[in-house]
Amino acid sequence: MPASGNVRRPSPLLTQNSEMRQIGAWNWSLPAWAGRLPDGRTFNTCPSAGICAQACYARHGTYTWPVVRAKHQANLMFVLDDLPGWEAAMLAELEAAKFRGAWIRIHDAGDFFSSAYLQAWLRICRARPDTHFYAYTKEVARFRLLVEPEPPPNFLWVYSYGGTQDADLSPESDRVADVFPDEAAIAAAGWTSQEANDLLAVLGPHLVGVPANRIPRYLKRMAGRRFSEWQAESESESAARKNRRHLRLIVDETNLPNRASAKQFEHRRAA
């Protein structure tokens, strides 16, 4: 990581994991979901994550290796500490000939956690029209406001289920991705799998099926459900718990006058 002033910055910014290498694409990654940086700061790179955080592939395996985790944390600290400097560094890196006509997946892990960060990416896309960019995101409201009105022509995205903004998605009008237990479940639902090539998520049919990673504990948590179904169940259970607490509060409040009257009666008797 070359030094920039007194701060060490990661380089290169764009890398290739095995999946991206197979399709000739590059990726940019942040730490997945929430955690603590080496300097003690806490972060949440996926503020709209829902049940997906309980079965996130980027919180398992190679993503947890110290060298990989350190690289992703360094990426995030660069963004947090010097967003203009990070944007300039990304633009400079994308000048390389190998990126002309190439695809960049924004976020192998993480999401567009702030409006300023998303807007920086939109400027990068517009400044490098010969490069293609794509992303999965759960930041539905942020994209509705900042991207959908005038998206860069070289930036494609797919909204993914399993987040707190699922209710704002429309399979009829939005390109959406859902994680299924397996390929058979995707076919049974009439969706199209992106397993053969991740670019199908943004270039294929707009109902995108993603087969779940074969991680036993994650599959056990999914219990045969799609992420969208799991998220809906979670929200329904949460609403039911809130309703039960509300009812208990009402019952307690209705009993208060009776208890108060009883105490007043006992006080008068004692007098």
Side-chain angles (χ1 to χ4, degrees):
M1 297 183 202
S4 175
N6 293 323
V7 181
R8 296 175 66 80
R9 298 304 190 195
S11 180
L13 298 175
L14 298 169
T15 58
Q16 281 185 311
N17 60 25
S18 57
E19 182 182 1
M20 293 294 103
R21 190 174 295 111
Q22 289 176 2
I23 62 175
W26 302 77
N27 51 279
W28 159 257
S29 288
L30 298 174
W33 196 42
R36 188 179 299 276
L37 294 170
D39 61 10
R41 285 179 293 176
T42 58
F43 65 86
N44 186 342
T45 60
C46 304
S48 295
I51 54 85
C52 63
Q54 300 180 47
C56 177
Y57 68 91
R59 300 179 66 202
H60 176 82
T62 58
Y63 290 86
T64 65
W65 292 1
V67 65
V68 176
R69 184 171 63 248
K71 174 65 164 66
H72 294 172
Q73 289 176 339
N75 287 347
L76 178 58
M77 287 189 286
F78 195 176
V79 171
L80 293 176
D81 296 336
D82 184 10
L83 185 60
W86 168 82
E87 183 178 340
M90 183 65 76
L91 284 170
E93 190 165 318
L94 286 167
E95 286 182 346
K98 65 183 177 182
F99 295 120
R100 291 181 194 140
W103 283 89
I104 309 296
R105 174 170 170 173
I106 306 174
H107 303 136
D108 186 42
D111 206 340
F112 299 94
F113 60 86
S114 75
S115 295
Y117 174 58
L118 171 56
Q119 288 169 322
W121 267 116
L122 295 177
R123 289 191 297 269
I124 290 168
C125 293
R126 292 190 174 97
R128 294 292 178 264
D130 294 333
T131 302
H132 308 287
F133 301 83
Y134 78 105
Y136 295 77
T137 185
K138 292 180 172 63
E139 292 301 317
V140 183
R142 207 184 304 279
F143 266 61
R144 297 271 197 247
L145 178 65
L146 299 176
V147 182
E148 289 190 9
E150 192 177 353
N154 57 334
F155 176 45
L156 301 176
W157 68 93
V158 55
Y159 293 118
S160 54
Y161 280 107
T164 59
Q165 299 184 39
D166 276 11
D168 296 328
L169 294 174
S170 172
E172 290 74 30
S173 56
D174 293 319
R175 175 176 287 276
V176 291
D178 204 352
V179 175
F180 289 75
D182 49 39
E183 291 283 356
I186 295 173
W191 289 43
T192 302
S193 175
Q194 52 67 269
E195 181 69 2
N197 187 327
D198 194 52
L199 290 173
L200 292 173
V202 291
L203 298 177
H206 79 288
L207 298 180
V208 180
V210 181
N213 292 86
R214 312 320 292 172
I215 303 171
R217 70 176 184 273
Y218 289 175
L219 292 173
K220 183 177 180 180
R221 291 171 188 171
M222 287 182 69
R225 300 166 292 185
R226 297 156 56 168
F227 269 21
S228 58
E229 295 169 337
W230 186 5
Q231 182 67 33
E233 288 180 17
S234 176
E235 292 177 359
S236 178
E237 292 169 359
S238 178
R241 287 193 297 270
K242 289 180 180 178
N243 188 51
R244 288 195 293 271
R245 287 197 296 269
H246 180 64
L247 288 175
R248 285 197 298 271
L249 179 61
I250 292 175
V251 170
D252 289 344
E253 287 178 344
T254 56
N255 288 335
L256 281 175
N258 296 331
R259 290 200 297 269
S261 298
K263 287 181 179 179
Q264 291 173 359
F265 178 73
E266 290 297 331
H267 178 72
R268 286 197 296 270
R269 286 185 61 186

